Every structure is written in structure tokens, then in C-alpha cells.
Amino acid sequence: MTVKPPSVPDPKGGAGSGLPGAVPGVPKPAAAPLDLGFADDLATPPDGPGAAPRTAPAPAVDPGVPPARKGGAGGGEAGPASRGFLARAALVTASLSVAGSLLGLVRDQALARLFGAGSDTDAFLVAWTVPEFASTLLIEDGLALVLIPAFSVALAHRAKGAKGDPVRALVAATLPRLCLALAAVAALVAGCALWLVRALAPGLPDPRLAADCTRLTATCVLAFGLAGYCSAALRAHRRFVAPAAIYVAYNAGIIAAMYLLGAAWGVRAAAAGVAAGGCLMVAVQVPSLWRQLTSRRPAPHASGPDAEGRPMRLALVAAVLLFALCRQSQVLVERFLASTLPVGAISHLNYAQKVAQIPMTLSLMLCTVTFPVVARALADGDTERARTRVQRDLALASALVLLGMCAVIACAPQLTELLFQRGAFTAEDTAATAAVMRVYALGLLGQTLVGALVRSYFSAGRPRWYPVAAMAAGIAVTSWTGAAAVGPFGVAGIAAANALGITVTAALLLTGLRKGRRAAADGVSVHLRQVLAELSRPVRAAVVATVTGAFAASRPDSAPAGLAAGLLTVTAVFVPLTLALGRPQGRTSALRSVRTVTRRLAHGRKR
């Protein structure tokens, strides 16, 4: 993906931006500000001859859309500059996500420091299943996959001059019903907390403590649902700052609650923090969404179709929710199997996952930013642009997650020691967590591909059942393999089953999107051989980088020095080798560089 320097003006305007698009007769500003949500109130459409009318605003300029594809008044060339916008939007989103992930690490460090890795944290982590499920269903893979295409269609209708406001009509048709349904589910989870805990972890020593925590975390069902709704609506409007900041607010709430209430409430304070953090996730997004919904007047005299609230298809909602449930049920399988192991096994698995998943989270930020672009392209009928965007995202996200995977596997002991080994978290806990982390990281590529590919299936806003079947197959592999491996290998066997199951799902999803397949005819398809060829380069580089990185990390005696050596070596080997493998003439020089780095590291310990 070509990224223009930040000085390139951003041509994005029109619907939802408050800035005029490329309207004839209206001069473009010399340096249009990047509109990621900061400039909601900085400018309004100008009045006067040639200006875009307030009642029928120019459509948003979609990155990469040819001018002929656009409806409405907009239509300037958006190719290079829109790629720059996507790069900057991804950078802002990734930066805030990094901040949220760092606060997540601080949260886990506080949990380990205050409560260790024993029966209390096992009880809380069983209750943690509720926010884990809720975040997947309502923020990440669930509502986003349904609502972003729906809002994209509404924005496309608004851009064509539909009567009224299709976006407001969609909100009025969906939000009240969603709130009632989520409130009912939250009450049901709280009322059935004890039975739920006994079903999730039958071997838990203290189910009543876990039930108390579950009742507190049940409130996040409603809060996460509202947060996910706001996030989907804002991303469809090309507003990325507030949605990316939700996990900063969420983790800050949990950390504050643990330190303020931990002495009196024990581990229940962490569950109370989940409830408080969920409310903060909504609070940081409401102002921006409110401006989007109230800053535009309906168009009663427009010539377009009526802006009727388009109800979401029940089959689409069911397909998305079933997929998300199947994916998140991996956690249920893991904790069910781990509950039969000695005390602390669930905690070791949880800490390992939290650290190992950071590369996956960061690599999917690009897909989070471009998902509205793919949905809008399909709404405009431009399937070729959607395919190109998806293939680029797959290649880049895979390379990023493999780089992170190399670092995690190579430096797992050093990472765990630096992050967690203090207070009640002992050296034995460090060794157990690092071993699990290395095994779990083997599935990171599969996790990333699943997260990226499933957006392609649902970006057209149509129900697709193939992803559900693929995820169910992966869960079956995880369950059977985990049940067979937990006895001889313990928690490491559970992590290996997770990696194998999600990799099977990724392979099935990728195969299902191959060009020419009937099931892909109504959405995005990809050139399978081209995608596999792109993926093979970073995979081969990752093998070499992991081995050399682990060797480098093991040389120094201190954890900080070992972590620095491992990270530098992984980066120095992975990046040039990945680039060289794409050019046959560069392979020899890249391998020579790897041997040079290895020889230098071999002598580094003696210096």
C-alpha cells in the first residue's frame, strides 16, 4: 500500500464530515485537515454559488473509488490522497489501540500483583468470560459486521439525496430494540450467574466468588452493546478516534477500581471495574456520534428515494452472532479443560493470551479502518476495488502479525518476567506462563486471518452461513485435540489445540473466498494463489527470525537485555528477509545477512 506523506491534503468530505467534497465551483482548501473525528465542528458547508447544499450534502470520498463510481456531487480523484488518509487513519487507530493495549497490560499486571495467580484470579477470570464474549459479539465481530454495512448503505442513500435522513431512520429503527434486548440479556446473565459458573468451570474451588464477579460483569452486556453501536456508526462516518479510544477508557476504569476497592472487595473490585469501564466506553463516543446525527437537516425536497428505516435482516444478524459465538467459544473450551488442572492453570493461560494477542490486535487495526471502505465499495457495486483492498489488507496484516509472533515466541520468558513477575506472581508462574505463551502464539496468524477474512464475507450486508460452518469445524478440532492433549501436556496442550483449531478455520475461510466460487459471487472474492504466494514470504521469514531471535534473547543474563536483543534480532532478520524473498536475486544476500547477525550474537555473550 502506497502511503503518501502527511503533508498530502485529505480530499475526504461530504457526508458526515462537515466539509465540502470536490464540488464544481468550490475551491479546495490548500491544506485540508485530516478528518478522523477531531474536526467535527471545525467547519461547515459553505453557502453561496456552487456550494454543496446543506439538505443534500456531497457524498464522502471513499478511498480508491473511481470518480465514475460515486453518486452525488462529489467525485474528485481520490486515489493517492485517500491512501494517505487510510494510512493516517490506521496510524491514529493503532496509536490509541496501543495505548489501550498498554493499559490492558497494566491492568493484568495490577491483577497479578494484587491477587496473584491462584483461586481468586481463577474465579474472576471465569466471570471475565462475560466481557470477553460481549466484546466479541457486540464490539468486534458481532455488531460491527452487521451495522457498518447497514450504515454504509444509509450513507450512500443520503449521498444520493434521499428524502429525510436515512442514517437517522436507521438509528430510530434499530437502537431502541437493541437496548431492550441487551438489557434483558444482562438481567438474565446476572440472575443465572451461579449456574453459569458451574457450567463454565465445574472444577472451580470457589464458584460463589465467581458468581459474585459474574453478576457485576453482567452489566457490560448493555454497555458493550451501546459502545459497539456507537463504534460502528462512527466508523461508517469515517470517525476513528473515539472508537479507538474505548479500550483506553475501559482499562482505566478497571485499574482505578482495583486500586480503590481492592483492599475492601478483593478480586470483586476488578469485576466492578469492568462495569465502570463499560460505561466509560459509551461516554467517550456519545458526543461525537451525537454531532454526526444532529449536524445535518433532512432533505424533504430531494429527488432521491424515501429514507425509510431499513430493518436489518434477521438471517444476517443470526449468522454474524452465531459466528462470533462459535469463535468466542474457544475460550469456553479452554477454561472448561483448564478447570480440571491444578490451581492457577486458567490464570497462566489468560496471562499468556493477553500478551500473545497484542500483535494480532495491532495487525487488525488496518482491517478495522478499511472495513467501511470495503462495505461502501460493495454498496456502490465496485467489487474489484473491494477485492484489491482485501488482498492488500491480508498481506499487510499477515506480515505484521508474523513479526509480532516471532517476537513473542523468541522473548516469551523475558516478556513474562518483566510484565508480571512481582508481588504474588512467582518465578514458577513466569515459567508456566511463558511456556503457554509460546505455544499459543503459533495460532496468531490463523487468528489474524480469521479476523480479516470474516469481514469480507459480511461486508455486503448479506447473510452468509459458510463462516459459521468454518468456525464450527475449527471449534470441533480445538475441542477434540484439547481433550486429548490436556492429560499428557496440561495447559500447553490446550494452547496447542487452540492454535490448530483457529488455523483450520482460517484455511477454510480463505478457500471459501477464492475467485469463481459460487458462494463468493455476492460479495468479495480473492485470487487464492496470489494471496497464498504473498503469505508464504513472511511465513518463511518468520521461521528464520524466530530461531535467531530466541538464540539472541537467551544470551544475556538479565531479562531487559535479553528482551532488547531478541526484539532487535527478530526485526533485523524478519524485515529484510521478507522483502528479499519477493525478489529471487535478493535471497542470497538476505541469507548472508542472517548468518552475519547470528555469528555476531554468538560472540556477544563473551564480551
Side-chain angles (χ1 to χ4, degrees):
M1 180 178 69
T2 304
V3 180
K4 292 290 183 180
S7 60
V8 177
D10 176 26
K12 178 180 172 291
S17 69
L19 293 171
V23 182
V26 180
K28 184 179 292 187
L34 173 62
D35 190 5
L36 296 178
F38 291 120
D40 287 348
D41 299 320
L42 295 182
T44 55
D47 297 316
R54 293 179 186 272
T55 56
V61 180
D62 284 342
V65 180
R69 297 278 187 185
K70 301 187 192 304
E77 178 61 40
S82 56
R83 285 195 294 270
F85 165 76
L86 281 180
R88 287 173 286 169
L91 178 61
V92 170
T93 303
S95 299
L96 286 171
S97 297
V98 168
S101 297
L102 291 176
L103 278 178
L105 286 176
V106 174
R107 175 202 67 208
D108 293 337
Q109 287 176 329
L111 184 67
R113 182 183 184 89
L114 295 173
F115 310 112
S119 59
D120 284 359
T121 52
D122 284 354
F124 168 72
L125 292 173
V126 171
W128 184 261
T129 304
V130 176
E132 279 186 322
F133 260 76
S135 63
T136 299
L137 293 175
L138 305 175
I139 299 177
E140 298 161 9
D141 290 342
L143 280 184
L145 296 178
V146 174
L147 288 174
I148 288 179
F151 274 106
S152 297
V153 171
L155 287 169
H157 288 171
R158 173 197 274 178
K160 294 174 183 176
K163 297 178 182 179
D165 190 336
V167 177
R168 295 185 193 177
L170 176 62
V171 173
T174 56
L175 185 57
R177 299 175 184 176
L178 180 67
C179 289
L180 289 175
L182 293 174
V185 173
L188 181 63
V189 171
C192 302
L194 185 58
W195 291 276
L196 185 62
V197 167
R198 288 174 175 168
L200 292 176
L204 201 66
D206 190 0
R208 294 192 178 276
L209 176 59
D212 290 343
C213 294
T214 301
R215 293 186 185 97
L216 290 169
T217 59
T219 58
C220 74
V221 174
L222 177 59
F224 281 22
L226 292 174
Y229 192 98
C230 294
S231 296
L234 287 171
R235 284 168 178 160
H237 281 84
R238 307 283 180 83
R239 298 296 187 274
F240 298 101
V241 174
I246 59 176
Y247 286 109
V248 175
Y250 174 63
N251 288 320
I254 298 176
I255 294 168
M258 282 195 292
Y259 279 104
L260 292 174
L261 304 174
W265 289 20
V267 78
R268 293 177 181 85
V274 171
C279 296
L280 293 175
M281 294 170 86
V282 181
V284 297
Q285 297 183 95
V286 166
S288 181
L289 181 59
W290 181 257
R291 286 193 293 269
Q292 294 303 311
L293 297 179
T294 60
S295 62
R296 298 189 173 277
R297 300 174 183 175
H301 303 297
S303 59
D306 291 339
E308 300 178 354
R310 178 188 175 186
M312 291 179 292
R313 300 178 185 178
L314 180 60
L316 172 62
V317 176
V320 170
L321 292 182
L322 281 176
F323 172 83
L325 279 172
C326 286
R327 184 176 185 184
Q328 196 60 29
S329 63
Q330 284 184 309
V331 177
L332 298 182
V333 173
E334 293 168 3
R335 289 182 181 164
F336 181 86
L337 295 173
S339 67
T340 63
L341 297 174
V343 171
I346 295 178
S347 298
H348 297 151
L349 186 62
N350 172 76
Y351 292 132
Q353 288 177 339
K354 290 296 184 294
V355 176
Q357 286 180 347
I358 291 177
M360 177 196 72
T361 302
L362 297 180
S363 66
L364 286 176
M365 286 302 101
L366 177 65
C367 300
T368 299
V369 170
T370 59
F371 180 44
V373 177
V374 176
R376 186 64 181 269
L378 291 177
D380 292 338
D382 192 350
T383 56
E384 185 59 35
R385 181 169 66 92
R387 177 188 301 117
T388 302
R389 180 73 265 164
V390 168
Q391 292 186 179
R392 289 175 179 172
D393 291 349
L394 288 175
L396 183 56
S398 299
L400 291 175
V401 78
L402 284 169
L403 175 60
M405 183 197 77
C406 296
V408 169
I409 296 176
C411 307
Q414 293 79 13
L415 277 170
T416 308
E417 180 178 343
L418 286 176
L419 292 175
F420 301 117
Q421 189 173 318
R422 57 183 59 85
F425 199 93
T426 65
E428 290 75 13
D429 293 325
T430 295
T433 302
V436 177
M437 189 185 300
R438 280 176 159 164
V439 179
Y440 184 85
L442 296 175
L444 287 180
L445 178 60
Q447 296 278 7
T448 300
L449 289 176
V450 169
L453 290 168
V454 72
R455 291 168 168 81
S456 304
Y457 280 93
F458 295 112
S459 55
R462 300 184 180 93
R464 305 287 294 275
W465 296 102
Y466 180 81
V468 179
M471 195 69 243
I475 290 299
V477 171
T478 299
S479 302
W480 295 335
T481 307
V486 67
F489 300 107
V491 70
I494 299 175
N498 177 295
L500 179 60
I502 199 66
T503 302
V504 169
T505 297
L508 292 174
L509 289 177
L510 184 58
T511 303
L513 284 182
R514 68 182 184 274
K515 195 175 186 303
R517 189 175 183 272
R518 169 181 279 182
D522 58 348
V524 180
S525 60
V526 298
H527 298 286
L528 185 57
R529 291 185 178 179
Q530 180 180 345
V531 171
L532 291 177
E534 288 291 330
L535 290 177
S536 67
R537 293 162 51 194
V539 168
R540 286 177 286 169
V543 175
V544 180
T546 301
V547 174
T548 55
F551 176 77
S554 65
R555 297 298 93 190
D557 295 327
S558 67
L563 178 61
L567 293 179
L568 289 174
T569 303
V570 164
T571 305
V573 173
F574 180 85
V575 174
L577 187 56
T578 300
L579 296 175
L581 287 174
R583 304 188 303 272
Q585 66 273 17
R587 294 176 186 173
T588 302
S589 61
L591 292 175
R592 187 183 302 116
S593 300
V594 172
R595 289 195 295 267
T596 301
V597 170
T598 305
R599 284 197 301 268
R600 290 179 179 178
L601 289 171
H603 298 287
R605 193 177 183 181
K606 299 179 180 179
R607 294 179 180 178

